[in-house]
Amino acid sequence: MIRFNRRYFGKLAAMLAAGSALPVEEIIAEPAKAVAGGSDRSFPAGFLWGSATASYQVEGAAKEDGRGVSIWDTFSHTPGKTANGDTGDVADDSYHRFPEDIALMKQLGLTACRFSIAWPRIFPDGTGKPNQKGIDHYRIFCEALLNAGVTPFCTLYHWDLPQALEDKGGWQNKETSKAFAEYAGYTAGKLGDVIKNWMTMNEMASFIDLGYGSGVHAPGLKLSKQKLAQAKHHAVLGHGLAVQAIRANAGKGARVGCAENARTTIPAYNAPEHIAAAKKAFVEENAPYLTVMHTGKYTEGYLEKLGADAPVFTAEEMKAIAAPTDFQGINCYTAEPVRASTNARGYEVMPRPSSYPHMASQWLTIGPEALYWVPKIAAETLGIKEIYITENGCSSDDVVAADGQVYDTDRVMYLNAYLTQLQRSVSEGAPVKGYFLWSLLDNYEWADGYGKRFGITYVDFNTQKRTPKLSSKFYANLIARGGL
Ligand code: FCB
């Protein structure tokens, strides 16, 4: 490849018109750097490349091997709650087809896999008698991952709460926080030899706010402000108690964190006052979850805003909530532009005009710069030392072309843009150690059912045939080159 000396471009037309001989050596400035096998935009050696899935979204086998009923079974089987009445009864049938899924991971060159354990497979009733068949399943799965050279990253709660616990109040009941810690400790004790990287929960901000606030997710409740604030408190308490239980039971080398969908505040544009505002907003907007988990305190702003609706808590609980973790997982899809303001908080989260671009899911507005700013801001404001991007990806209106392939060029564009920003962040020192793409497979997208496809592998839900999309080739190429 040849690179031209840009200074000549203006003169070229005139020279050509006059029929003069072209000074080739001056026009060619330098040979371009070879690109094959190397990249200016590389990630550090040892950076983990993974995919992410969750039990209810991929496993199926809802009634097999002693699995109990979860709130998502109940919710998805309630008419009117999910698109088309879709349920996760079969999903990707990954409970049976996981060897094929792991073969896909190998083909991609993944070094890590984020998956979740279904609580009702381990304790069908939430507490009490454990189910050995559940433990056996995840042991076999993890051994297969390890044999393929893929490191397991396990989430203990990706929203499938045993229905028996919901019947006693679910996350409104402090007993659920304790039951979660017992389940976490028990499972870590049984699987600590094959799983070293543990995440307590996935996205408290989703399963509480959507499940108990707006009611669009299981269990479909719309609680009062006070009850909702208390449920949030029970979630972070459950996380903290589980961190302690995992440490006590998992054995040597266990590392513990959680995967949270932080509010991804970014500066409206690159100006000192807006950067400062985005930092303030990050701490304040994440007050009920990420901030309290890393500081052991609810911010004054949060407590003031809630007033009489603030959660009831003890000093001992606050200590447990802030149990030290080894890493923080951040699920990052969108960005929230923030600007400096003269209001009491000093910032304003900006509105989005209706022309703001989004992917196939309405909520999935495009904001690649989140992967530049959020790791930096999280590290600086909350002192987080090790970060994984535990989810990033997008839905596309995928179609199978006449040749049987899926050309998801929009997903490639999305991933390319976000990963470029992540590389920029890491190269400037943000402590991000790995990236998990959501998702390996098209799967059950909660209340959106099977209509929203997030996979880099297309799944025909009638036949369970898996077809890697263009984006999977993009990802494999990036992993092989170690960069963009
Ligand atoms: C996240 C969830 C995950 C998946 C993606 C698209 O909020 O954690 O299960 O649904 O969104």
Side-chain angles (χ1 to χ4, degrees):
M1 225 224 255
I2 288 169
R3 189 173 289 176
F4 293 100
N5 188 337
R6 288 170 154 266
R7 280 177 304 142
Y8 264 96
F9 282 6
K11 289 188 193 163
L12 270 179
M15 292 172 80
L16 282 169
S20 347
L22 299 180
V24 176
E25 261 153 37
E26 284 174 58
I27 294 172
I28 299 173
E30 54 183 287
K33 237 196 218 166
V35 284
S39 153
D40 294 329
R41 304 233 172 270
S42 56
F43 284 83
F47 191 87
L48 287 183
W49 294 109
S51 62
T53 58
S55 47
Y56 190 68
Q57 293 180 276
V58 299
E59 283 181 354
K63 294 196 173 137
E64 266 174 70
D65 291 342
R67 177 185 178 277
V69 175
S70 86
I71 54 173
W72 268 95
D73 296 303
T74 310
F75 187 78
S76 64
H77 281 271
T78 307
K81 297 292 185 192
T82 67
N84 292 315
D86 287 348
T87 75
D89 285 1
V90 179
D92 290 321
D93 193 31
S94 288
Y95 190 78
H96 301 115
R97 291 172 197 258
F98 68 84
E100 199 184 328
D101 298 344
I102 295 175
L104 287 169
M105 294 179 206
K106 255 196 113 163
Q107 218 172 301
L108 283 161
L110 300 191
T111 44
C113 160
R114 176 172 177 239
F115 68 100
S116 81
I117 291 186
W119 184 348
R121 287 199 195 278
I122 309 298
F123 287 98
D125 297 319
T127 54
K129 198 168 173 288
N131 172 32
Q132 184 59 39
K133 284 191 173 159
I135 293 289
D136 292 345
H137 170 75
Y138 293 109
R139 168 168 296 283
I140 294 167
F141 174 69
C142 289
E143 283 174 353
L145 284 176
L146 291 168
N147 283 336
V150 179
T151 304
F153 272 65
C154 170
T155 312
L156 284 157
Y157 184 70
H158 201 127
W159 309 353
D160 33 11
L161 183 71
Q163 182 62 44
L165 295 182
E166 183 55 39
D167 294 344
K168 294 182 201 151
W171 291 105
Q172 294 188 70
N173 184 345
K174 202 178 286 181
E175 291 305 310
T176 297
S177 318
K178 295 181 194 160
F180 177 62
E182 272 166 40
Y183 148 64
Y186 175 82
T187 309
K190 292 286 174 188
L191 297 174
D193 57 331
V194 283
I195 301 172
K196 297 294 177 197
N197 296 282
W198 295 92
M199 279 157 285
T200 54
M201 296 181 180
N202 179 70
E203 297 192 359
M204 295 175 220
S206 295
F207 73 80
I208 296 291
D209 293 80
L210 302 179
Y212 295 83
S214 63
V216 298
H217 276 189
L221 301 180
K222 292 181 185 170
L223 299 182
S224 68
K225 231 176 162 191
Q226 197 283 324
K227 286 186 173 159
L228 188 63
Q230 197 62 41
K232 292 181 189 188
H233 178 70
H234 294 156
V236 279
L237 177 61
H239 154 79
L241 295 174
V243 170
Q244 296 171 339
I246 296 166
R247 289 216 194 282
N249 291 283
K252 268 206 188 133
R255 288 156 29 84
V256 195
C258 85
E260 188 53 15
N261 55 331
R263 296 281 302 275
T264 46
T265 57
I266 66 165
Y269 52 84
N270 201 346
E273 67 274 24
H274 299 321
I275 296 173
K279 287 180 194 166
K280 267 189 214 156
F282 188 78
V283 173
E284 211 45 63
E285 297 297 312
N286 290 304
Y289 304 114
L290 206 60
T291 301
V292 72
M293 282 158 46
H294 287 278
T295 63
K297 280 191 203 119
Y298 288 122
T299 64
E300 276 172 30
Y302 178 64
L303 293 176
E304 256 169 43
K305 203 163 82 187
L306 283 172
D309 295 323
V312 179
F313 55 85
T314 67
E316 201 191 333
E317 286 170 6
M318 298 311 279
K319 205 168 156 213
I321 288 169
T325 49
D326 301 295
F327 64 89
Q328 179 62 52
I330 295 181
N331 294 359
C332 180
Y333 291 90
T334 60
E336 297 191 64
V338 169
R339 69 168 175 180
S341 166
T342 49
N343 67 16
R345 294 183 311 178
Y347 70 86
E348 194 184 327
V349 178
M350 300 182 68
R352 287 195 188 97
S354 61
S355 56
Y356 206 102
H358 63 80
M359 300 301 290
S361 309
Q362 285 279 332
W363 61 267
L364 215 173
T365 49
I366 303 171
E369 288 213 329
L371 279 190
Y372 173 73
W373 286 108
V374 171
K376 285 183 158 223
I377 293 179
E380 189 185 318
T381 57
L382 298 178
I384 298 171
K385 301 227 159 36
E386 185 168 330
I387 295 174
Y388 290 87
I389 301 304
T390 34
E391 285 183 27
N392 172 246
C394 69
S395 50
S396 300
D397 292 332
D398 295 320
V399 278
V400 182
D403 62 1
Q405 301 296 309
V406 178
Y407 299 107
D408 54 343
T409 44
D410 56 345
R411 183 176 284 106
V412 171
M413 176 176 64
Y414 175 102
L415 293 171
N416 204 11
Y418 277 71
L419 282 157
T420 299
Q421 295 296 336
L422 180 62
Q423 192 278 339
R424 192 177 151 223
S425 193
V426 173
S427 70
E428 290 178 18
V432 182
K433 305 295 176 202
Y435 170 91
F436 295 83
L437 199 159
W438 185 277
S439 180
L440 179 69
L441 305 165
D442 291 336
N443 58 46
Y444 180 72
E445 179 52 17
W446 308 112
D448 287 336
Y450 296 99
K452 293 284 177 270
R453 294 178 175 272
F454 274 82
I456 54 171
T457 310
Y458 186 88
V459 177
D460 178 331
F461 293 108
N462 293 317
T463 62
Q464 292 295 344
K465 183 173 176 235
R466 279 113 160 101
T467 306
K469 304 177 192 175
L470 184 71
S471 54
S472 109
K473 288 160 196 152
F474 159 84
Y475 196 36
N477 179 59
L478 183 148
I479 295 169
R481 297 182 59 193
L484 291 138

